[in-house]
Amino acid sequence: QVQLVESGGGSVQAGGSLRLSCAASGYTYSTYCMAWFRQAPGKEREGVALINMRYGNTYYSDSVKGRFTISQDNAKPTVYLQMNSLKPEDTAMYYCAIGRPSKWDSIKGFDYWGQGTQVTVSS
């Protein structure tokens, strides 16, 4: 089975940066997409960014485009989310996921999920 382990969350002031990591094992990573989702208290889980591990195509939500960058290291394999210019509204639990979605941010299209890592951005 696939196992995902997220790390890199923490507390940061607005305007600061964090880099999240997601280490994957137990799957043929080149045939999957890996994505980051986030969920704030009282809100639904939303897609943040996705990378197609085979072709390298990336997708971002409008709210993070230009500030966040998703990247991959196929040797490990690991997916990163570099988050710059963080805003208080970025505060959420961030989850790594693996799947083959027909729509990039479709929760149903992801079969495996990590436990999440908390990101808190203060004013």
Side-chain angles (χ1 to χ4, degrees):
Q1 64 177 13
V2 173
Q3 293 183 328
L4 301 174
V5 180
E6 300 112 327
S7 62
S11 298
V12 66
Q13 291 189 103
S17 299
L18 286 172
R19 189 184 72 167
L20 306 184
S21 299
C22 176
S25 63
Y27 82 111
T28 305
Y29 62 86
S30 63
T31 67
Y32 286 82
C33 294
M34 295 187 68
W36 289 96
F37 289 76
R38 67 185 181 186
Q39 186 169 23
K43 296 184 178 180
E44 295 184 350
R45 190 169 300 187
E46 63 173 341
V48 176
L50 174 144
I51 185 165
N52 185 307
M53 300 294 287
R54 183 174 181 85
Y55 300 107
N57 298 339
T58 59
Y59 302 86
Y60 298 92
S61 69
D62 290 339
S63 63
V64 308
K65 194 173 298 181
R67 299 188 297 120
F68 292 9
T69 302
I70 187 169
S71 61
Q72 65 188 96
D73 181 352
N74 290 336
K76 297 190 179 180
T78 303
V79 168
Y80 304 96
L81 185 67
Q82 179 66 46
M83 305 184 294
N84 297 326
S85 302
L86 283 162
K87 305 175 180 179
E89 51 262 44
D90 295 318
T91 295
M93 184 72 73
Y94 283 71
Y95 299 91
C96 180
I98 294 177
R100 296 177 179 178
S102 57
K103 185 175 182 293
W104 80 268
D105 59 347
S106 174
I107 294 175
K108 187 177 180 179
F110 291 87
D111 301 310
Y112 306 100
W113 296 81
Q115 293 300 116
T117 185
Q118 178 68 39
V119 171
T120 302
V121 184
S122 60
S123 300

